[in-house]
Amino acid sequence: MTQQGAATRLPSQLIERIKLAFLRLTGLSLVADENYLLVAALIAGLTAGLGATSFLYCLRAVHAVFFGPVQDLLGWLGPSAVMFLPALGGLIVGPFVARFAPEARGHGVPEVMTAVATRAGKISGRVAVVKILASALSIGSGGSAGQEGPMVQIGAAAASAVGRRMRVSPQHMRTIVACGAAGGLAAVFNAPIGGAMFALEVITGELTPAFGAVILASVSATVVSRWFFGNYPSFMVPRYDLVSNWELLLYALFGIVAGLVSVGFIRMSESIESRFEHLQVPARLKPALGGLLVGLIARFAPQIMGTGSTTIEAATWGRLLPLTLALLVPLKMLATSTTLGSGGSGGVFGPSMYIGAVLGGAFGWAVHALLPASTAGSGAYALVGIGAVVGGTALAPLTAIILLFEMTDDYRIILPVMEATVLSIVVVRALVGESIYTLKLRQQNIPYYAGVELERARAATAAQAMRTDIPPIGENTDVVAAMAMAARLRAEALPVVNDAGEVVGLVTMARLAEAAAADPRPASIAEIAERGDQLLAGTGERLDAVLTRLGENEADALAVIASRDGKVPVGVIFRRDIMRIYERALRRT
């Protein structure tokens, strides 16, 4: 063996030995495998937290450079200098991303979902590094985008690398990637539960599997973030209460308005991205062109630049004028769609919060002017707007509601937030049917939640798919009588039992037809029945195991028994019924 070969093989051998020792220490293989997944999730969360911390420091450094020395160099342009900062950032981002990791452009979240759906969660570790730098340049130079998309993609890429290094089984890679995504979002917003909800609702599309692993990763990433940045809410907001129960009607109306604005944001993002894709300009220059357009908007409304966290907080305190709030809604939508649609790197979660805050503030000013005694101030509606627009654009109600309260550390206005968020989601589902993340994947025919539905189908049991209306027949049953029974029941096979009532095998409709036409005709079923334990399935067996046995025996049906001891038949499971379940699962995606 060469020294190089020994060097490459040593880490793999070491990892296998560590895993084997851990499995022996924890006992039964199934339980141990789940425990090993928790260890992998913990490491993935810590890694995601470090990646998120690196991104935040990098973002601060880039922002300081662009809005310090670079802006000073352009000082001769006066106030118009701000127009060119996003364009300069885009001029660097375009060639950099195209050269090293094209998947690092755009939102980040759809790319993670694509990797989960089509590549079993495998994401190149290089994506994390490129995403850190590209997003820091896009946002730090003044581009209109959020931090959460880069955080999610950075965390997911880092977790995917951890999963491959630790030899996590393929069926658990989706969970590990979700752990990284949860850790990334939790780290940026100091919200461990909200980060976990986002990963489960958006990335995997379900809340049940490996919930503990995702929570553990989210918590560990938050611990890393708090170590570097402290334990503070993302936004310091006033304490708001529901003024009167009648005000819930106004919040319901606002939920519908927020849903319509969410639809507008989704459609605008889709339209502008499509226009840039068809624009006859080299792809490397498109981010610079998008940055220039954003700069033009920022010349008259500088509040749309960057993440906009200062504007969000000002809106929740009611410090912005109603006309300013109303104008910032379409301008932020346009700036964000242009930044990301042109190939810039960033997220849409933060801009959704921004749009919700200024929309809610404008709505709050209007209703408070009309009904000052019965309504809270504009800041309360801005706070509710954050949850309503985030929920509407992401179609993730739990994420929007829980994340809002973790970020603000205020749970007293929960009823209006829940009401407005749910109504906003209803509007988006009715008018679009897709979230801002999934619409692009749907247009590309990527079955982003197909894995979830197929896993549910595979995890179903024989008891859920079997037919229970097919009675067993004795070995001494006449062939013609058995064939008549099978035809009447439209059954492709019948279970055959002995005198003790225990199943001994199956007889198929094809064999019954052959025997009925034979000369001489067999005296009973005993002469033509197919026998053997390989034709039996337990009620608790998974459908994937049943389907495998059907294929191995080239059979179309198995007799289902409740126990291997008594072998009393309780039903028959057919290949066509299993395939029908799989087809329904695919149709649901």
Side-chain angles (χ1 to χ4, degrees):
M1 181 187 301
T2 65
Q3 290 183 351
Q4 184 179 1
T8 55
R9 203 169 288 184
L10 180 60
S12 300
Q13 292 176 347
L14 182 61
I15 290 170
E16 289 300 323
R17 288 179 180 177
I18 293 173
K19 183 174 181 178
L20 181 61
F22 185 80
L23 296 179
R24 288 175 177 172
L25 179 66
T26 53
L28 298 175
S29 60
L30 177 61
V31 176
D33 191 51
E34 295 298 327
N35 289 341
Y36 186 73
L37 175 63
L38 293 179
V39 173
L42 176 62
I43 296 174
L46 293 172
T47 307
L50 291 172
T53 301
S54 302
F55 168 67
L56 289 176
Y57 276 121
C58 191
L59 176 60
R60 292 180 180 182
V62 171
H63 184 272
V65 170
F66 270 84
F67 286 85
V70 175
Q71 190 173 20
D72 292 341
L73 287 174
L74 299 175
W76 56 276
L77 293 172
S80 299
V82 74
M83 293 171 48
F84 299 96
L85 296 179
L88 288 174
L91 197 60
I92 302 172
V93 169
F96 177 66
V97 170
R99 171 65 178 84
F100 294 104
E103 58 268 46
R105 64 165 59 95
H107 303 191
V109 176
E111 286 71 24
V112 173
M113 296 171 69
T114 299
V116 169
T118 63
R119 300 194 299 273
K122 293 181 180 178
I123 306 173
S124 171
R126 182 171 57 181
V127 172
V129 178
V130 174
K131 191 70 176 179
I132 288 175
L133 298 174
S135 298
L137 285 166
S138 290
I139 302 170
S141 63
S144 177
Q147 305 174 66
E148 92 298 330
M151 292 292 209
V152 168
Q153 193 169 14
I154 292 165
S160 180
V162 168
R164 294 196 302 274
R165 273 297 201 188
M166 295 186 66
R167 303 296 177 88
V168 172
S169 58
Q171 61 266 30
H172 290 320
M173 276 299 293
R174 290 176 64 252
T175 299
I176 289 298
V177 171
C179 288
L185 193 70
V188 69
F189 289 128
N190 189 20
I193 301 177
M197 288 296 102
F198 177 85
L200 294 171
E201 274 193 304
V202 177
I203 301 299
T204 68
E206 56 182 349
L207 298 177
T208 48
F211 182 79
V214 175
I215 286 288
L216 183 61
S218 187
V219 170
S220 61
T222 306
V223 169
V224 173
S225 175
R226 289 179 179 179
W227 177 273
F228 286 96
F229 303 111
N231 182 14
Y232 304 103
S234 296
F235 301 104
M236 300 301 296
V237 301
R239 304 293 181 179
Y240 290 114
D241 285 305
L242 188 66
V243 175
S244 69
N245 290 332
W246 290 105
E247 196 178 9
L248 286 173
L249 296 175
L250 295 174
Y251 281 114
L253 176 62
F254 174 66
I256 296 173
V257 173
L260 294 173
V261 170
S262 299
V263 170
F265 186 31
I266 294 171
R267 292 300 189 193
M268 183 182 291
S269 299
E270 173 198 14
S271 175
I272 291 179
E273 183 174 3
S274 176
R275 289 176 182 274
F276 271 101
E277 285 179 356
H278 294 92
L279 190 64
Q280 299 301 313
V281 174
R284 296 172 179 234
L285 298 179
K286 289 180 181 179
L289 177 59
L292 184 60
L293 295 175
V294 171
L296 288 171
I297 301 172
R299 173 65 179 83
F300 305 98
Q303 300 97 322
I304 59 92
M305 301 184 82
T307 60
S309 56
T310 303
T311 303
I312 294 174
E313 198 161 298
T316 60
W317 282 89
R319 294 171 179 164
L320 299 178
L321 296 175
L323 181 60
T324 301
L325 290 165
L327 288 175
L328 287 177
V329 174
L331 291 179
K332 186 65 174 180
M333 291 167 59
L334 179 60
T336 302
S337 301
T338 302
T339 298
L340 299 178
S342 64
S345 183
V348 294
F349 200 100
S352 296
M353 294 170 56
Y354 183 112
I355 294 165
V358 294
L359 175 69
F363 187 91
W365 273 106
V367 297
H368 190 66
L370 293 173
L371 302 167
S374 305
T375 59
S378 67
Y381 287 84
L383 194 61
V384 172
I386 293 174
V389 176
V390 167
T393 55
L395 293 185
L398 291 178
T399 298
I401 295 168
I402 293 174
L403 193 62
L404 173 64
F405 295 128
E406 283 193 295
M407 289 190 301
T408 60
D409 196 23
D410 184 9
Y411 286 79
R412 293 188 300 175
I413 201 168
I414 187 170
L415 288 180
V417 173
M418 294 175 66
E419 179 186 44
T421 301
V422 170
L423 287 173
S424 175
I425 290 174
V426 168
V427 172
V428 175
R429 287 196 183 278
L431 299 180
V432 181
E434 298 286 345
S435 72
I436 199 168
Y437 302 119
T438 62
L439 182 62
K440 182 178 178 180
L441 303 185
R442 174 71 75 182
Q443 291 171 343
Q444 296 174 352
N445 292 321
I446 296 175
Y448 44 91
Y449 292 147
V452 175
E453 295 294 345
L454 289 176
E455 181 57 32
R456 288 174 180 166
R458 285 193 291 267
T461 62
Q464 295 172 280
M466 69 182 183
R467 286 184 58 180
T468 58
D469 61 336
I470 302 176
I473 58 173
E475 293 181 288
N476 298 321
T477 303
D478 177 72
V479 170
V480 175
M483 188 170 69
M485 177 185 293
R488 178 171 53 83
L489 295 173
R490 296 183 179 179
E492 299 171 21
L494 300 172
V496 180
V497 296
N498 57 22
D499 293 338
E502 296 182 339
V503 65
V504 295
L506 286 168
V507 61
T508 65
M509 188 65 171
R511 286 209 172 190
L512 287 171
E514 291 177 5
D519 188 17
R521 180 185 301 165
S524 66
I525 295 299
E527 300 180 36
I528 62 171
E530 300 177 58
R531 301 173 181 272
D533 287 348
Q534 73 274 12
L535 296 175
L536 307 181
T539 53
E541 285 194 59
R542 286 169 52 118
L543 290 190
D544 52 358
V546 174
L547 200 57
T548 299
R549 188 174 306 131
L550 287 168
E552 290 174 349
N553 294 282
E554 298 183 355
D556 290 318
L558 298 178
V560 182
I561 56 176
S563 170
R564 289 281 177 181
D565 298 329
K567 292 186 179 179
V568 176
V570 293
V572 180
I573 186 166
F574 296 97
R575 182 193 297 271
R576 56 181 169 84
D577 291 332
I578 297 176
M579 298 312 297
R580 190 175 293 119
I581 291 175
Y582 276 76
E583 289 170 5
R584 282 201 298 266
L586 287 173
R587 279 199 300 269
R588 282 197 296 269
T589 65

